[in-house]
């Protein structure tokens, strides 16, 4: 299913949320379009390639893809690049920490001159007549990690931060729904997000953006300013992997 997160006729944000199969972690892929130019967020791996290509092609030709933005380096994020690069001219925008690792997803030479390294402090990416912002989100959960902020839709695409697993709820928009959603957020956050110190630093910066929606790469979107604020509060206070860490994790069986 594709979900239109935003559409004013010129600028669109589309979410593809059912391309992954049984036994794989559910993943969301996103297409942002401005003035008929496109940016794909987290293209995913080999298994979803043909279905995602079909979906993207309904909206614009792959020749109009200017960027494939990777929030980080995980296989569910960008391991399908070997298929996407030959059919587009898109630049891969990824943390400078990962530029030497990304070629491992591709046949030799394919990613040469196709990578736009994002410096630690982030950068703006031009798309059509707008600019998207790669927002630093290091250690949430990868050491070189970025969220993407779209100032037109006011969506912050947060990669693995705010991920929920074990739900097929597309979005939540009330405080009551958020409270019920917290256990689903916590399961992922408590193990995959390593540092509460990083979470708190992230929240300070994110509060300065005008955000209407928090949209993670796994699970449910969080909609409306009230819930965005509740999410910030939760992220600042929730325990992460290292807060819960105990030496027993390293105990050999
Ligand atoms: Fe990840």
């Amino acid at each position: 299913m594709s979900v239109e997160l935003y559409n004013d006729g010129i600028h669109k944000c589309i979410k593809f949320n059912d391309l992954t199969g049984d036994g794989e972690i559910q993943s969301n892929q996103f297409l942002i379009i401005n003035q008929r130019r496109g940016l794909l967020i987290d293209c995913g791996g080999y298994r979803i390639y043909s279905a995602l290509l079909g979906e993207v092609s309904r909206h614009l030709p792959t020749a109009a893809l200017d960027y494939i933005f990777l929030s980080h380096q995980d296989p569910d994020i960008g391991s399908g690049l070997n298929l996407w690069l030959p059919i587009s001219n898109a630049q891969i925008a990824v943390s400078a920490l990962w530029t030497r690792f990304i070629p491992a997803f591709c046949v030799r030479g394919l990613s040469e001159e196709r990578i736009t390294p994002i410096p630690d402090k982030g950068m703006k990416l031009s798309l059509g007549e707008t600019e998207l912002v790669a927002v630093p989100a290091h250690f949430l959960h990868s050491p070189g990690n970025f969220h993407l902020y779209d100032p037109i839709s006011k969506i912050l695409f947060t990669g693995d931060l705010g991920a929920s697993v074990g739900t097929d709820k597309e979005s939540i928009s009330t405080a009551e729904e958020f409270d019920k959603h917290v256990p689903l957020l916590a399961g992922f956050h408590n193990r995959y997000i390593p540092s509460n110190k990083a979470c708190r630093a992230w929240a300070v910066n994110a509060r300065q953006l005008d955000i209407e929606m928090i949209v993670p790469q796994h699970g449910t979107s969080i909609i409306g300013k009230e819930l965005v604020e509740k999410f910030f509060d939760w992220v600042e206070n929730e325990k992460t992997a290292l807060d819960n860490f105990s030496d027993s994790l390293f105990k050999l069986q």
Side-chain angles (χ1 to χ4, degrees):
M1 184 175 75
S2 69
V3 179
E4 213 168 65
L5 299 173
Y6 181 89
N7 185 359
D8 64 15
I10 293 168
H11 189 83
K12 287 185 199 176
C13 300
I14 302 142
K15 172 179 178 177
F16 308 105
N17 62 5
D18 64 351
L19 304 180
T20 38
D22 291 344
E24 297 169 69
I25 185 155
Q26 184 278 334
S27 293
N28 302 318
Q29 275 62 48
F30 307 98
L31 178 64
I32 303 179
I33 300 172
N34 185 278
Q35 298 283 2
R36 304 294 300 157
R37 304 305 302 176
L39 177 146
L40 191 57
I41 303 179
D42 296 339
C43 62
Y46 173 81
R47 288 182 179 210
I48 65 164
Y49 167 73
S50 55
L52 181 58
L53 175 59
E55 291 286 347
V56 168
S57 303
R58 288 175 46 219
H59 298 277
L60 84 177
T62 55
L65 279 179
D66 289 341
Y67 285 105
I68 296 172
F69 172 86
L70 304 182
S71 55
H72 60 297
Q73 82 295 356
D74 274 348
D76 61 319
I77 299 295
S79 64
L81 284 174
N82 201 42
L83 299 163
W84 284 98
L85 291 183
I87 60 157
S88 75
N89 299 311
Q91 279 285 307
I92 307 160
V94 67
S95 162
L97 260 66
W98 297 120
T99 51
R100 287 176 299 157
F101 295 69
I102 292 302
F105 288 143
C106 303
V107 296
R108 194 170 294 278
L110 186 60
S111 61
E112 260 171 43
E113 320 229 323
R114 300 286 300 272
I115 300 181
T116 299
I118 308 174
D120 273 350
K121 63 179 179 13
M123 68 185 288
K124 290 184 173 165
L125 298 170
S126 292
L127 183 71
E129 292 180 359
T130 190
E131 282 184 326
L132 305 167
V133 188
V135 177
H138 309 305
F139 301 102
L140 304 173
H141 63 115
S142 165
N145 200 117
F146 286 95
H147 296 167
L148 193 70
Y149 177 63
D150 172 5
I152 296 179
S153 64
K154 300 182 178 172
I155 297 172
L156 185 65
F157 295 93
T158 56
D160 279 344
L161 186 68
S164 52
V165 180
T167 173
D168 51 14
K169 211 169 172 62
E170 158 41 34
S171 64
I172 52 169
S173 55
T174 68
E176 200 179 27
E177 285 177 312
F178 185 86
D179 293 342
K180 281 191 197 148
H181 189 58
V182 161
L184 299 171
L185 291 171
F188 193 93
H189 192 89
N190 295 162
R191 179 62 195 260
Y192 287 91
I193 300 291
S195 164
N196 178 258
K197 188 176 179 181
C199 287
R200 282 182 280 120
W202 170 84
V204 168
N205 281 341
R207 283 181 199 280
Q208 292 174 29
L209 300 169
D210 183 8
I211 300 171
E212 288 287 346
M213 263 187 244
I214 298 278
V215 179
Q217 196 240 343
H218 307 290
T220 308
S221 301
I222 295 170
I223 296 179
K225 282 209 158 48
E226 184 195 356
L227 292 207
V228 170
E229 195 52 43
K230 275 176 93 65
F231 181 72
F232 290 154
D233 290 344
W234 178 81
V235 165
E236 284 173 325
N237 291 297
E238 183 67 15
K239 284 196 162 49
T240 64
L242 290 179
D243 303 311
N244 289 323
F245 180 78
S246 120
D247 293 356
S248 64
L249 193 58
F250 288 171
K251 212 166 188 174
L252 292 173
Q253 288 299 308

